[in-house]
Amino acid sequence: MAVVGSPAGLSVEGYRPLQDPPVADLVKARKLLGYLKNVIHIGIDVTEGKLVEKDTSMWQLQGEPTVLITLAHIFNYFSPLMCKVYLVEDVLMTFLLSILERGGAVESHPLIQQLLDLMWLLMEEYEVHECLKQLLMSLLRAYRFSPIIPDLGLQIHYLRLTIAVLKHEKSRKYLLSNVLFDVLRSVVFFYIKSPLRVEEAGLQELIPTTWWPNRFTKEGKESKEVKEESAEERLRRRAYERGCQRLKKRIEVVEGLQVQILKLLLNNKDRGGGEASRYIFLNKFRKFLQENASNRGNLTVLCPPEYMVCFLHRLIAALRFFWDGHKAKTPAALSSEEAYVPPQLFYNGKVDYFDLQRLGGLLSHLKKTLKDDLAAKANILIDPAELQAVTMDDLDEDEESATSAAQSQRPSAALAIGGALARPAWLSSPTLGRANRFLSTAAVSLMNPRRPLGTLEKIKVLTLRVEQRTREDIEGTHGNEGLLLGRPPEEPDQPITENSLLEVLDGIVMMYNLSVHQQLGKMVGVSDDVNEYAMALKDTEEKISRCPKRRRDIHEELLKSQKVFSEKLNHLSRRLAWINVTIYSKEKMQDIYWLLRVCIRTIEHGDRTGSLFAFMPEFYLSVAMNSYSALKNYFSPVNSMEELPGYEETLMRLAAILAKHFADSRIVGTDIRDSLMQALASYVCYPHSLRAVERIPEEQRISMMKNLLAPYEQRPWAQTNWILVRLWRGCGFGYRYTRLPHLLKTKPEDASLPSLQKPCPSTLLQRHMADLLRSDRDLAPSFLNSVLNQLNWAFSEFIGMIQEIQQAAERLERNFVDSRQLKVCATCFDLSVSLLRVLEMTVTLAPEIFLDWNRPSSELLLRRLAQLLNQVLNRVTAERNLFDRVVNLRLPGLESVDHYPILVAVTGILVRLLVDTDVQGTERATAVLLADPCFQLRSIQYLLGHAEPSALAAAAPATDKRHFSLHTYTEYISAEELAKVEKMLNHLSEESKQAAATTLPTSEEDLCPICYAHPISAIFRPCSHKSCKACINQHLMNNKDCFFCKATITGVDDFTKPASS
């Protein structure tokens, strides 16, 4: 089948096009064009009265009335034909392209400018409009669908003509106002499409030698040494890199032309005949962002992410060109290396953020709650009547949104078809509608901040809608700061750059958040494919070398596999070269790094404004975290982040932002708070970024640790716990592993994952934690009680789930366990282990919290801890128990569930309490542990592989069953640690024997009437009721009333049963 019968369409032999060429019109148009060329080619020598030939490239429209009359006569017939798309593409575009074919810069062909002048002069306005629209549409189609050839010549050809047309001021402004963003998806001009087939792009000639990295290790073990590459590999790599450089130079030519187009659109000096191009572009660009932010589900309106990536990089290049150009003229202004978005843009209503979430919640809510701060800090006063109107709007939000849904869909459909909209869809948004009504009548006081606020000076300023803004509204004039209205006192009084460039910068950050980051992550898949195929090829080659000579059949199959993998790798490595040049090149990496630094500076400036920080859109924090993640994870195979200028300082500043804002009360969105917490958790997994956290000011470090130690309720405690565990990992008992011992033989996971990083504990942050727990008497109990509560919950959930899994596995019918249930079960187990590790960390760093009984809650905490440790040990160590059976099933999804991680965590706590402490501490811990009704010495013996005789006899037939023992993990547990466990076992054996010998039977009436586990040891004032200390201490944490009579307890005394009784 053929493409629609346009000149750019590819005809297919044996088929007719869908549209027949308009033959008569084509003949007519070509003849008229011939006449036009003749007139341009011939001049009149007035003195001699004869016609003379002229150089057409230098032809100018001036001074010859006869020529003008002749041209007017030609255009009388030519103009109507130029409204037809087929003729514009076949006749006019071909003619204009032929002018540029002579080579040289676009500026050296003024004839195109003269012809456009001629069109505007001699054609009706509607004809010029239609002709220009069809010309641009034809250029866009031709650029988009032309095949990729080695020198990208076709793409360069069409871009050069686009630049020539846009250089014409009147044409540029018309196209910007009515065509580029309204009718066309003009972002296509900034995209360099990836070739579908390597052969089509001629990449085999450009990159004749292929190469791929050979950097992987077996079985998840970290490689201790980098394998030396052979001489042959080195030659191949260098040849491949030279090919990549040749490709890069060709692509850079196209990128340079694309940046030129944006420079024309961002021109703010062409004020002849209306608004400068930059201000038209700004309004269209904002609407483009709004469509992409508010139509996430409507794919017809969304700009594809691959286009967004290219648009972002070209826009950054053009923006920095103008920014540094302004700096050259205004030395006091900032250079683009110091760029940031000032905080007043977020609250003065001059820039529309649609209904995007702010750090402090909805804009209408912030305007109400922070109106006094706006008045005091930014001289922005809000009319109380308007606040009332906003409040009323909030009440009928649901009603409004329902009626507007149908309205907003109709314009969107029109946009998808490609028609210009009378009323943009985004103006139908109820949230935006309210915001516009609210902002348009907000009373704004514009005063010199050096003078006090005077009642007579209050004036109202109307905030205009995006499409109504002019240069003065954006840049400001004398007495009007434009976009920078409402500068807070914390913000320095110095020029940054032109205000319009600040709005472009803000838009670039928003673009990254909308879809660029997602696309950067998606394209890494090609690199992953290369690695997988390279591993498969290496594995196949090893099999070929081991294959016995007599097995010719296997040998042939392996050779076929080798050929397939090699061909696939040749194709992928060339495709990867293209992707690395267009998406992951060093220059692109520097753009993303620049964007990261812009976000960091913007957040720092916003943070200084105090409560007004809540107005900042959430996407600034998201982009700061995501751009760092992209630099670390997506660009790393090609370029190293460490080589970027100021990398260490940037890392530290980002660490300070994460440390401060993950618990910032000004940030209310749960999603962004979770993201900050996860980013900090990832940050502390890598040695380089952990050191950056340690370099932030001490006061901020201590504040961060205090926030991490806050009670776990009402917040994402799992991430908090994960952070504390990472700070400890490498210091705990048997806690120096990267992958769990029983998982080493399984397929290694992605080694770049945070969870698979080598342990890198932070003794500095551990010290801060110990100091806080010791010095703050309220912090330690509240933190530890929340940890113990969560451990109790997580382990109970885990046990409940493995019971269900075991029941499902024992059914006679087809076994089926939901994979989600398995995943939740494994998560509960991992949480239990990490909570135990945090308890081990606390016991090690500040044992006095449990063992110094002068502290009010230490005895209770120790009892709770002993109770939970005994429960965990009993559940995990019982012979042929539920835990054993589920572990032995080896279900996919439950790989992490094993004896080792949970038992070594419990052992670490017990060793610290019973061996690594003073005599008094050991005595107290021993007494509490043995007094717990759940304590079983057998559980401790199990750790060292000492099974009970009865159990051994029962297990005798199953000779293949191996008992768990810490002795078998000598690579993970040191001899010194094992000796401590032996010492602990001996100590507990001896103490339990003595306790059994001295313990007298207790009558039921002497037992605590609440738990029936401990003897009565406390009496309450004033009611004289009794219980054990553990029960009353636990009860008084939440309630002051007596268990029995509900009287208010004023005190608790020790109770000893009189000897006479």
Side-chain angles (χ1 to χ4, degrees), residues 535-552:
M535 284 180 77
L537 179 63
K538 188 177 180 183
D539 191 43
T540 307
E541 286 170 348
E542 283 179 6
K543 286 176 183 173
I544 289 172
S545 66
R546 295 199 308 269
C547 181
K549 289 182 181 177
R550 64 179 184 276
R551 296 305 305 267
R552 294 288 300 277

Side-chain angles (χ1 to χ4, degrees), residues 43-52:
I44 301 171
D45 189 332
V46 183
T47 53
E48 296 189 22
K50 64 177 182 180
L51 300 175
V52 291

Side-chain angles (χ1 to χ4, degrees), residues 587-638:
E587 292 72 21
K588 309 292 185 296
M589 186 182 195
Q590 285 166 345
D591 282 349
I592 305 298
Y593 181 59
W594 177 78
L595 202 58
L596 166 62
R597 293 173 65 136
V598 164
C599 289
I600 288 174
R601 278 188 289 269
T602 302
I603 294 163
E604 288 171 348
H605 279 264
D607 180 34
R608 290 177 205 141
T609 61
S611 58
L612 298 185
F613 180 59
F615 281 97
M616 181 179 285
E618 281 185 355
F619 66 77
Y620 273 88
L621 276 168
S622 298
V623 172
M625 294 182 281
N626 288 338
S627 55
Y628 168 71
S629 168
L631 289 166
K632 185 163 70 70
N633 299 320
Y634 303 157
F635 289 84
S636 54
V638 187

Side-chain angles (χ1 to χ4, degrees), residues 979-994:
K980 287 181 180 178
V981 181
E982 294 276 11
K983 185 178 177 183
M984 176 182 75
L985 177 58
N986 294 335
H987 169 74
L988 286 174
S989 301
E990 196 59 41
E991 290 295 322
S992 58
K993 282 177 192 170
Q994 288 184 17

Side-chain angles (χ1 to χ4, degrees), residues 659-705:
K660 178 167 187 179
H661 297 303
F662 83 90
D664 191 337
S665 58
R666 296 170 295 181
I667 301 174
V668 299
T670 50
D671 288 347
I672 192 69
R673 287 172 76 95
D674 279 3
S675 298
L676 284 162
M677 186 75 86
Q678 285 165 7
L680 183 60
S682 173
Y683 226 70
V684 299
C685 291
Y686 300 89
H688 218 84
S689 44
L690 178 61
R691 300 301 162 244
V693 176
E694 292 181 341
R695 287 199 307 275
I696 65 176
E698 184 176 357
E699 185 185 342
Q700 288 184 24
R701 290 198 306 268
I702 293 171
S703 172
M704 177 187 85
M705 292 309 296

